[in-house]
Amino acid sequence: MTDASLNNDALEKLTGIFRILFNAPDLELNDDLTAKDVPGWDSFNHVNLIINIEEEFGVRFSNDEVGKLQNVGNLKSLLAGKLTA
Amino acid sequence: MLNDFLRELFTGQFSKALALLESVAKETPTPETLAMLRLAILRPGHTFLTYQRLLNIWSSWGKPALKPNAVLKKVAIVADFTADHFAPMISLFAGAQGVQIETHLPGYDSVEQTILDPHSPLYASQPDIVILFFSERWLKRYAGNSALCKTEDLQRGQESLSGLIQALEAHSHADILIGNLPLSAWPLAGGIITKDGLAGWNQTVSRWNEWLTTLTSRNLRIVDLAGAIFNAGGSAVLGRTNYLRARMAYEMPGTLAVARELAGGLAHICGRTHRAFVSDWDNTLWGGEVAELGSHGVLCGQDSPDALGYFLIQEYIKSLTCLGVLLAGVSRNDPEIQKIFDENHDLPLNLGDFSSLQVSWTPKSDAIGRISKELGFGPEFMVFMDDSLYEIAQVLSVHPYIDVLWAGPDPQGTLDRIAQSRFFNALSLSEEDLQRGSHAALLKEQREFKSSFANIEEFLQAIQVKLTFAPLAENNMDRVIQLFQKTNQFNLTTRRHREDDLKNFSTQGGSVFAISYEDSFGSQGIISVIALQANANTLNIESWLMSCRVLNRSVEQAVFSFIREKAEGKPITGEYIPTEKNGLVRSLFPDLGFALETTDPGTGKQIWQWTNNNQEPPKHFVEIKKL
């Protein structure tokens, strides 16, 4: 998976969602970022994150897609695919 | 900045209003920026992430109080579903109403284990309030999953909840808020059927909710979550995707609606709900301006969509009065325009519906100040509505704790905004709520009555004020203690005595008197308390407090004549300990003829003395009765 098609506006918006939900104003979304790197990113907040991304971008992930996410790079690619679909 | 913020908040883009707030998030908050934050939180209809942004701003400021005299409460949130995201949102929405909460959240789906075990962390957290709300899955444990539910199964669910309430009451002194049940995200067929002791699911939920309202307990209130969900979009906002993924009973808009409703319940329990609706008139209660169009030329009635919209606005506002909400009218206009209420019979409101009327050319902030004085509570308990953002900003610049609504751009927008704000949502009606209207009516009657007298003395004689002095006893103890705890303005020493303090005071030779007020308009109950300590050579006024609603009726002069009688000719001493709120009584002692003895340079505490050097006792117009 690549994040080539996630444009700057979408990346900025996605970063904003992470920063707000985890109250981490300086967080940067590197592709290899995972839950263990971000304080507060537990299993409940993972669901919360996905729900908020869906709500803010107006997209819908399948439960299978959500289950396969390993890191932020995966998430960016998945979102990019939804936005260009 | 406030003007730009209000423009974006009400007529522009909420995201720009939010950005303005975020631009000052790193600065020390001011009354103006705190008001902006509060108004943004109180606007419904935005996404979870938006409210999370507001929560982050509030947190970055250290969660300061968003209303004066905010109360602090420990709140336990108990649910049978994943409710983690409720705590921050309830905390945010309650904070905007002057209730600061610390939350305790027991583990997922542990309602029974948590409540029935007296040693559970729930009770260890010593909550002031317990919120208990369920998904339909909880009731289905008893009612089963069939499309038809047996009456006895519903009763088993009722018995189970009754047992939980009993346990909560046995192991804690907390107030209890219980949410009723919405219908299903995936409606079952045959919902309305009732036959041979069986009922469809919609019917069962309806019976459950009706049964909840019959539960009577001093500490228990029911919150209408079913209504909140209906208003937020119905089954679409009940847990569907969220339920499958995380056992959450609501989608995000449903979560926010329920959190807002529960926060309103907390505000109700803590006495922080709004008590007065203050409304502009022209282009707010009717379309157009009376001075231009005449009483019959304005829009309000049945003749056009907009006229009907204004009619419904007035009808809605009028409907609030039976809940104890007081109405006040504020119009920058010639007082002559009040005649519209006599001349135009299409208006649902009439002049008698307003407990306070301020029709003049003075700034609206001054009018709000006068309304506050007349109604006896602060602007923080009022909602002000106007079609002019200038007027809203002007009022907020002087009264930053008043909540506001913009009327516009058309009557439907106004009506939607009033209804969705939930500012006046009540869970129950107290005697005080019911009496507030009649108290205001009395005040109004008194004002009107007063206008027919040449002077205040003549008026006071005519209304036949009577004060009854009763020694402290079991039957007046609760009210006396309440006055000691609540009275801030007319309170010379602000000593917050409780029952034990007063009993000790009495055993050491002190005397405490509860003073009741009555006049030709009716009784106001106990309105003042004095605590007197007789020493060898003096009588000392240890405490003197009074409800402000009986000011300017020569009551304080009459109380002083009672104190003089108790002094039996000895000098009387009194203390004045200044606080932020008791400036009202700064001149009480000198006005009564006391002379200043000492002033503590550090605390400002003053000792005053009255000696009977043949000075004229202050005049009063009150009949005194002693029990």
Side-chain angles (χ1 to χ4, degrees):
Chain A
M1 288 195 272
T2 72
D3 63 333
S5 55
L6 194 62
N7 66 39
N8 283 341
D9 285 351
L11 181 58
E12 199 179 316
K13 190 170 174 180
L14 182 67
T15 307
I17 293 172
F18 270 79
R19 287 176 176 177
I20 293 163
L21 281 184
F22 299 114
N23 201 7
D26 302 321
L27 186 69
E28 294 296 337
L29 293 192
N30 303 318
D31 284 357
D32 52 358
L33 192 76
T34 65
K36 67 177 168 41
D37 303 318
V38 181
W41 191 349
D42 56 20
S43 58
F44 169 74
N45 277 323
H46 181 68
V47 174
N48 201 20
L49 174 70
I50 297 299
I51 292 167
N52 278 285
I53 292 169
E54 288 178 326
E55 190 170 29
E56 294 296 321
F57 282 96
V59 298
R60 175 75 187 272
F61 304 128
S62 73
N63 296 329
D64 187 45
E65 287 166 337
V66 174
K68 285 181 180 159
L69 293 174
Q70 297 292 319
N71 55 32
V72 166
N74 295 160
L75 177 63
K76 285 182 190 174
S77 300
L78 179 63
L79 180 60
K82 296 285 175 187
L83 293 175
T84 53
Chain B
M1 178 156 172
L2 178 64
N3 296 350
D4 292 340
F5 174 81
L6 289 172
R7 195 180 54 249
E8 295 300 345
L9 184 73
F10 287 116
T11 64
Q13 294 176 29
F14 189 86
S15 59
K16 287 187 180 167
L18 196 50
L20 276 171
L21 259 177
E22 283 174 334
S23 73
V24 293
K26 289 204 167 77
E27 297 168 15
T28 306
T30 63
E32 183 177 292
T33 52
L34 287 172
M36 287 161 54
L37 176 64
R38 190 186 72 249
L39 295 175
I41 296 168
L42 290 171
R43 283 298 303 273
H46 298 287
T47 63
F48 185 91
L49 204 67
T50 301
Y51 295 107
Q52 184 69 50
R53 283 167 76 177
L54 294 170
L55 180 64
N56 291 350
I57 296 171
W58 192 34
S59 302
S60 74
W61 286 338
K63 294 193 176 177
L66 298 175
K67 286 266 184 174
N69 304 315
V71 291
L72 292 171
K73 295 286 174 186
K74 285 192 271 187
V75 177
I77 301 171
V78 186
D80 69 312
F81 52 89
T82 305
D84 301 51
H85 49 320
F86 275 95
M89 290 300 123
I90 294 173
S91 150
L92 182 73
F93 296 145
Q97 296 178 73
V99 183
Q100 309 262 93
I101 64 170
E102 259 176 43
T103 53
H104 168 78
L105 194 71
Y108 166 73
D109 196 12
S110 59
V111 175
E112 285 78 3
Q113 302 89 311
T114 298
I115 292 177
L116 297 177
D117 176 7
H119 305 294
S120 75
L122 168 74
Y123 299 115
S125 74
Q126 296 188 310
D128 300 302
I129 301 167
V130 175
I131 293 173
L132 180 56
F133 62 143
F134 305 103
S135 69
E136 66 174 359
R137 305 303 306 178
W138 185 86
L139 185 56
K140 283 187 170 174
R141 287 180 199 168
Y142 302 94
N145 292 313
S146 163
L148 295 176
C149 167
K150 289 181 192 158
T151 302
E152 58 261 37
D153 289 340
L154 176 64
Q155 283 167 350
R156 285 199 305 123
Q158 292 168 345
E159 282 160 17
S160 174
L161 181 58
S162 297
L164 293 175
I165 294 168
Q166 279 169 20
L168 277 172
E169 289 180 335
H171 306 316
S172 147
H173 296 295
D175 285 298
I176 305 166
L177 273 183
I178 296 185
N180 67 4
L181 271 185
L183 296 175
S184 298
W186 294 288
L188 288 168
I192 200 67
I193 290 172
T194 54
K195 188 174 171 59
D196 301 334
L198 294 167
W201 186 247
N202 292 1
Q203 194 66 22
T204 300
V205 169
S206 170
R207 288 177 180 179
W208 171 262
N209 288 344
E210 193 175 341
W211 170 76
L212 286 179
T213 64
T214 66
L215 295 174
T216 51
S217 160
R218 189 175 55 79
N219 294 339
L220 179 69
R221 303 277 191 291
I222 306 301
V223 191
D224 187 15
L225 302 188
I229 288 299
F230 176 80
N231 294 334
S235 65
V237 301
L238 284 166
R240 305 156 81 87
T241 309
N242 285 2
Y243 186 74
L244 299 180
R245 283 184 188 164
R247 301 290 188 274
M248 290 157 67
Y250 306 98
E251 297 297 309
M252 286 320 201
T255 299
L256 293 167
V258 166
R260 202 177 276 282
E261 198 72 14
L262 291 170
L266 297 178
H268 177 96
I269 286 178
C270 299
R272 310 297 300 182
T273 40
H274 296 85
R275 300 173 191 170
F277 192 105
V278 182
S279 180
D280 168 50
W281 285 0
D282 285 340
N283 289 311
T284 300
L285 294 186
W286 50 73
E289 294 167 7
V290 180
E292 296 283 325
L293 303 168
S295 294
H296 294 283
V298 297
L299 278 181
C300 183
Q302 311 288 328
D303 300 340
S304 68
D306 276 356
L308 182 57
Y310 285 112
F311 180 90
L312 294 177
I313 289 170
Q314 289 202 22
E315 207 173 58
Y316 192 100
I317 293 172
K318 191 179 174 103
S319 76
L320 298 171
T321 56
C322 70
L323 297 172
V325 176
L326 303 180
L327 305 185
V330 178
S331 181
R332 271 163 43 93
N333 236 313
D334 189 314
E336 179 78 357
I337 70 153
Q338 296 181 42
K339 67 182 182 197
I340 184 177
F341 290 100
D342 291 328
E343 294 177 354
N344 186 335
H345 298 293
D346 288 339
L347 309 184
L349 284 167
N350 57 57
L351 218 46
D353 291 320
F354 293 95
S355 299
S356 178
L357 283 173
Q358 305 296 332
V359 187
S360 71
W361 296 106
T362 59
K364 290 196 174 171
S365 58
D366 290 359
I368 301 283
R370 291 193 294 272
I371 291 169
S372 174
K373 221 172 195 174
E374 285 190 7
L375 300 184
F377 48 80
E380 67 269 27
F381 293 107
M382 300 178 191
V383 176
F384 170 59
M385 181 168 81
D386 203 299
D387 66 302
S388 157
L389 287 176
Y390 165 83
E391 299 288 5
I392 291 176
Q394 196 276 326
V395 164
L396 273 172
S397 66
V398 178
H399 305 291
Y401 296 113
I402 197 167
D403 288 319
V404 295
L405 285 170
W406 175 62
D410 51 34
Q412 187 184 337
T414 307
L415 196 53
D416 286 347
R417 215 167 287 117
I418 299 171
Q420 287 164 3
S421 72
R422 313 291 289 151
F423 278 139
F424 297 99
N425 195 28
L427 302 183
S428 59
L429 284 177
S430 67
E431 280 304 308
E432 193 190 345
D433 295 327
L434 292 171
Q435 283 171 7
R436 198 177 296 130
S438 56
H439 174 57
L442 271 182
L443 281 173
K444 191 154 51 128
E445 207 176 325
Q446 287 181 350
R447 278 200 308 278
E448 284 158 10
F449 192 32
K450 205 166 158 177
S451 63
S452 65
F453 289 88
N455 59 51
I456 185 73
E457 293 184 4
E458 201 181 308
F459 168 71
L460 288 172
Q461 278 164 348
I463 64 171
Q464 299 172 316
V465 178
K466 290 187 194 74
L467 292 183
T468 304
F469 289 73
L472 184 68
E474 281 307 314
N475 65 355
N476 57 31
M477 182 69 83
D478 285 353
R479 173 64 180 154
V480 166
I481 291 167
Q482 188 190 40
L483 278 171
F484 269 110
Q485 302 311 310
K486 280 173 54 177
T487 309
N488 295 314
Q489 292 174 289
F490 193 114
N491 194 338
L492 284 159
T493 52
T494 320
R495 294 189 171 114
R496 301 296 191 198
H497 291 319
R498 294 186 176 275
E499 187 169 348
D500 287 349
D501 305 320
L502 295 179
K503 285 182 173 164
N504 285 341
F505 183 73
S506 299
T507 55
Q508 287 162 14
S511 310
V512 179
F513 294 92
I515 306 161
S516 307
Y517 176 102
E518 189 185 342
D519 62 25
S520 56
F521 297 107
S523 165
Q524 301 240 17
I526 297 171
I527 45 81
S528 181
V529 181
I530 49 173
L532 306 175
Q533 178 76 54
N535 302 314
N537 302 315
T538 59
L539 178 79
N540 182 46
I541 305 169
E542 196 267 356
S543 289
W544 183 357
L545 39 124
M546 189 173 92
S547 163
C548 294
R549 63 177 189 247
V550 295
L551 275 177
N552 303 322
R553 301 175 194 198
S554 77
V555 169
E556 43 281 44
Q557 288 78 6
V559 172
F560 182 53
S561 79
F562 175 85
I563 295 172
R564 281 201 327 274
E565 200 181 309
K566 288 283 161 196
E568 297 171 337
K570 287 188 286 192
I572 300 165
T573 55
E575 294 164 64
Y576 169 60
I577 304 174
T579 68
E580 273 181 22
K581 294 185 179 167
N582 71 355
L584 179 70
V585 286
R586 190 181 298 121
S587 65
L588 179 70
F589 284 134
D591 289 348
L592 292 173
F594 281 66
L596 183 62
E597 293 282 297
T598 61
T599 303
D600 184 313
T603 61
K605 175 176 156 179
Q606 299 169 345
I607 306 288
W608 293 79
Q609 189 170 68
W610 188 89
T611 42
N612 188 8
N613 295 329
N614 295 321
Q615 60 173 318
E616 185 83 6
K619 203 168 168 185
H620 67 81
F621 305 91
V622 176
E623 184 187 326
I624 291 176
K625 192 175 159 191
K626 288 165 254 176
L627 293 182

